[in-house]
Amino acid sequence: MPRLKPLAALGLIALFGYQYSFAEDRQLSSELGPLKVHTVAEGLVNPWAVAFLPDGQGYLVSERPGALRRVSAEGEISAPLRGVPEVFAVGQGGLLDVVLSPDFAEDRLVYLSYAEAGDGAAGTAVGRGKLSADASALENFEVIFRQQPKLSSGTHFGSRLVFDRDGHLFIALGDNNDRPTAQDLDKLQGKLVRIFPDGRIPEDNPFVSRDDARDEIWSYGHRNQQGAALNPWSGRLWTHEHGPRGGDEINIPEAGKNYGWPLATHGINYSMLAIPEAKGKTVEGTEAPHHVWEKSPAISGMAFYDAERFPAWQQNLFIGALAGQALIRLQLDGDRIVHEERLLESLKARVRDVRQGPDGYVYVLTDAPKGQLLRLGLASE
């Protein structure tokens, strides 16, 4: 799509409600020096995830109501890509994560997670399609994973997609707001699953030999996982999940381990009553969180920073906060979290996704009917 002249862009704004950013960069304070915030694009409808196309070709952004759009490097927003599956856009459901194949340069495959209706309810599905040469469509889209059974009426779908170094695809799922199922190994609610990119199941998954468990499961006892990223220094997967009222947590999930929900939690029900199944903050036989927030920021999105552009951010982990309306910066010492800073609070925006870009900047999506794609850097470096 050619870059539009300002008058043409204004015409599209009137027609479609999408905006292109001509605003000056903002400068905000941070502990490590002035933070420069550039608006790449605005007017996105509740954007959920962003992926970076190679060679400066822009970005793919998922909008929760069901559209996948290409955003050019200049901030121009395309029409919805064709070939995207129909989604269950109710409550927290819709089009969710988007990631590129590790071999995208050769196969041009794009992976999507989304809420899918069926059996009178909904669940999370994952599929893939080939991005057309002109980036206007996903071709030959195929579903490679479905959460079974479908139990959601519109809540707790998760979900994030992460490829590891061995070619496996991890899918971080929610419990569909059906708490006990997170402990049921014959169901895929509240699980982290591990499959191959084509949907096949690795033979070394921890429950493959058990007749009473789903072969896809890697770990269980999770609530609503909306953040996952591969630690670039250790190669291990980190995930995070929403607690109920309190108790958002980070985990480093290991094969076959139980991460507690709803038996162990630092939170309570939104009604201010205790979680009925809970037996305490820690329960024997379950894994304690790697990190926990007693007061929930409502976390979403996760990105480690290992680029050379901003040395002060190296060995840091960035996490979005929805209710907390911030970007959380966590300073690491190995796997230990030694310091926390809240960024972007003056924007009063729900941060849905955060990614490290190939250019070394940090990119953030704000969750709103006219959401923004922001690029962040330290002004002093």
Side-chain angles (χ1 to χ4, degrees):
M1 179 176 179
R3 184 173 184 176
L4 297 175
K5 296 179 180 179
L7 288 177
L10 289 172
L12 282 183
I13 292 170
L15 184 58
F16 297 111
Y18 296 112
Q19 302 176 23
Y20 304 125
S21 173
F22 305 107
E24 294 183 359
D25 294 345
R26 286 164 287 185
Q27 191 162 290
L28 306 177
S29 62
S30 83
E31 294 175 356
L32 299 177
L35 184 68
K36 188 176 181 180
V37 182
H38 172 72
T39 303
V40 177
E42 54 190 357
L44 294 156
V45 182
N46 296 108
W48 216 91
V50 57
F52 303 94
L53 294 170
D55 304 322
Q57 298 174 52
Y59 321 85
L60 293 180
V61 177
S62 60
E63 294 178 325
R64 191 180 52 75
L68 179 67
R69 299 185 187 271
R70 176 176 171 264
V71 178
S72 73
E74 295 80 16
E76 299 166 4
I77 303 172
S78 76
L81 272 64
R82 302 184 306 278
V84 173
E86 182 178 350
V87 304
F88 178 79
V90 175
Q92 298 167 1
L95 186 58
L96 305 174
D97 210 4
V98 53
V99 299
L100 304 186
S101 162
D103 300 317
F104 181 81
E106 289 77 37
D107 60 30
R108 294 187 65 80
L109 288 176
V110 175
Y111 288 75
L112 302 176
S113 68
Y114 57 99
E116 178 189 59
D119 304 323
T124 302
V126 177
R128 63 181 186 175
K130 183 177 180 180
L131 185 66
S132 64
D134 63 359
S136 67
L138 293 186
E139 301 170 341
N140 302 315
F141 190 86
E142 61 173 343
V143 178
I144 61 167
F145 169 84
R146 285 188 166 97
Q147 186 181 39
Q148 296 292 343
K150 288 181 166 64
L151 297 175
S152 180
S153 60
T155 53
H156 297 195
F157 294 97
S159 65
R160 294 292 175 181
L161 308 175
V162 178
F163 289 96
D164 72 6
R165 294 173 178 174
D166 297 321
H168 303 110
L169 175 60
F170 282 93
I171 306 170
L173 297 167
D175 68 353
N176 291 173
N177 203 25
D178 192 333
R179 295 186 303 267
T181 60
Q183 292 293 318
D184 294 341
L185 291 176
D186 62 342
K187 299 179 180 64
L188 291 174
Q189 279 67 31
K191 309 302 191 294
L192 177 67
V193 305
R194 176 182 181 250
I195 60 176
F196 285 117
D198 61 1
R200 292 179 297 116
I201 298 172
E203 294 182 359
D204 60 346
N205 272 5
F207 299 107
V208 164
S209 62
R210 288 181 50 169
D211 293 335
D212 62 342
R214 297 287 305 222
D215 294 345
E216 301 96 326
I217 296 173
W218 179 259
S219 61
Y220 65 107
H222 301 285
R223 185 173 181 268
N224 189 22
Q225 302 174 98
Q226 290 191 354
L230 204 66
N231 184 313
W233 307 290
S234 69
R236 298 175 68 189
L237 181 72
W238 290 36
T239 67
H240 69 55
E241 61 195 72
H242 292 270
R245 188 180 183 96
D248 288 9
E249 63 186 54
I250 296 174
N251 294 298
I252 308 177
E254 297 183 23
K257 296 291 183 67
N258 180 356
Y259 288 83
W261 177 255
L263 306 177
T265 179
H266 287 246
I268 59 174
N269 253 325
Y270 296 108
S271 65
M272 304 299 292
L273 299 176
I275 301 298
E277 300 85 1
K279 300 179 180 179
K281 292 183 177 181
T282 59
V283 173
E284 185 177 357
T286 70
E287 305 300 310
H290 182 68
H291 183 76
V292 65
W293 286 271
E294 297 291 342
K295 181 179 179 181
S296 294
I299 47 182
S300 183
M302 174 188 285
F304 290 92
Y305 191 86
D306 67 341
E308 297 180 0
R309 181 178 287 273
F310 302 113
W313 281 349
Q314 290 181 5
Q315 301 293 320
N316 280 208
L317 176 65
F318 290 92
I319 292 174
L322 297 166
Q325 296 186 328
L327 178 65
I328 300 172
R329 181 181 68 86
L330 299 176
Q331 183 178 334
L332 304 178
D333 178 5
D335 284 345
R336 291 193 311 119
I337 295 169
V338 297
H339 180 67
E340 176 178 323
E341 180 186 13
R342 302 283 175 106
L343 304 170
L344 305 184
E345 288 182 304
S346 63
L347 300 185
K348 299 187 184 304
R350 290 163 49 88
V351 176
R352 172 62 72 183
D353 195 18
V354 54
R355 310 273 175 154
Q356 177 185 299
D359 54 7
Y361 286 93
V362 170
Y363 288 78
V364 161
L365 282 176
T366 64
D367 180 16
K370 293 184 178 180
Q372 296 179 317
L373 174 62
L374 305 176
R375 187 184 72 207
L376 279 55
L378 291 173
S380 58
E381 297 185 32

